[in-house]
Amino acid sequence: PDLVIQHRAPAVTIAGLPMALPPTAFLQPSVAGETALQRLVSEMLDGARRVADLFSGCGTLALLIAQDGHVAAFDSDAEAIGALRAAAGAASAKGRSIAVHAEVRDLYRRPLDGPELKRLDAVVFDPPRAGASAQAAALARSKVSKVVAVSCNPKTFARDARLLVEGGYEMRRVVPIDQFVWSQHIELAALFER
């Protein structure tokens, strides 16, 4: 999409930080659902200090997680990663410590693997409806102790969860979030631990 005219950049507040949204930004469909999802992910990550947020988008989860530790955020959308970097940079310039490393990366073709996962306490992944089978397979081979999977598609969630369980993880908790108003769709958040 090409921007034709804009009188004022659209902006939102994520985890208390203002963010200018790029034209292709993806946000959660409801504020209540986003808040519930953020709360659940935060609870599930309890104690994790070095976290990767995969398929991070603009940082709906990364900016929240970064307030309690260091986050490496990855997404294929360069504009979303740019918005995340700008929001974290603006917060740091105002004296607020936000430890986010944000990188453009196609996780379908180049999932985080091996040494990249070795230094992490936890991983969060929130892919599009297609799921994250290559990333789930890489996580299944890893020693990461905690994985939080978020999904808007129960079918691809089940496939990815199976890969994690077959790799030695145990699903400790799964919570449905009814955030798609006036539809049958649900969001899921699940905690897997070794």
Side-chain angles (χ1 to χ4, degrees), residues 51-139:
V51 179
D53 180 6
L54 310 180
F55 306 94
S56 66
C58 291
T60 303
L61 299 173
L63 289 171
L64 178 72
I65 298 164
Q67 296 181 35
D68 293 323
H70 182 272
V71 178
F74 298 87
D75 198 282
S76 61
D77 185 335
E79 290 183 343
I81 290 294
L84 172 54
R85 286 179 184 152
S92 295
K94 292 180 181 177
R96 195 165 168 195
S97 178
I98 302 294
V100 174
H101 166 82
E103 183 178 318
V104 177
R105 182 162 174 173
D106 183 341
L107 294 165
Y108 290 108
R109 291 190 174 128
R110 280 187 51 225
L112 254 63
D113 206 350
E116 295 172 305
L117 294 171
K118 199 173 197 174
R119 60 181 175 255
L120 299 171
D121 299 324
V123 170
V124 175
F125 68 95
D126 184 5
R129 291 190 62 77
S133 60
Q135 188 60 69
L139 284 164

Side-chain angles (χ1 to χ4, degrees), residues 19-187:
M19 174 181 292
L21 290 176
T24 59
F26 173 84
L27 298 174
Q28 297 299 328
S30 72
V31 173
E34 178 179 283
T35 302
L37 181 60
Q38 289 172 325
R39 181 184 49 78
L40 275 169
V41 169
S42 184
E43 285 174 14
M44 291 176 179
L45 289 174
D46 184 39
R49 306 287 300 154
R50 295 168 298 154
V51 179
D53 180 6
L54 310 180
F55 306 94
S56 66
C58 291
T60 303
L61 299 173
L63 289 171
L64 178 72
I65 298 164
Q67 296 181 35
D68 293 323
H70 182 272
V71 178
F74 298 87
D75 198 282
S76 61
D77 185 335
E79 290 183 343
I81 290 294
L84 172 54
R85 286 179 184 152
S92 295
K94 292 180 181 177
R96 195 165 168 195
S97 178
I98 302 294
V100 174
H101 166 82
E103 183 178 318
V104 177
R105 182 162 174 173
D106 183 341
L107 294 165
Y108 290 108
R109 291 190 174 128
R110 280 187 51 225
L112 254 63
D113 206 350
E116 295 172 305
L117 294 171
K118 199 173 197 174
R119 60 181 175 255
L120 299 171
D121 299 324
V123 170
V124 175
F125 68 95
D126 184 5
R129 291 190 62 77
S133 60
Q135 188 60 69
L139 284 164
R141 293 187 300 269
S142 79
K143 300 295 182 204
V144 175
S145 61
K146 191 179 288 195
V147 173
V148 177
V150 178
S151 178
C152 62
N153 184 343
K155 184 177 179 178
T156 58
F157 169 81
R159 180 200 63 209
D160 297 345
R162 179 178 169 201
L163 290 168
L164 293 172
V165 169
E166 287 175 351
Y169 285 95
E170 183 176 329
M171 187 186 319
R172 302 275 187 199
R173 183 178 180 199
V174 63
V175 180
I177 302 165
D178 184 14
Q179 71 166 335
F180 298 95
V181 180
W182 308 113
S183 83
Q184 78 278 13
H185 297 293
I186 60 166
E187 188 93 4

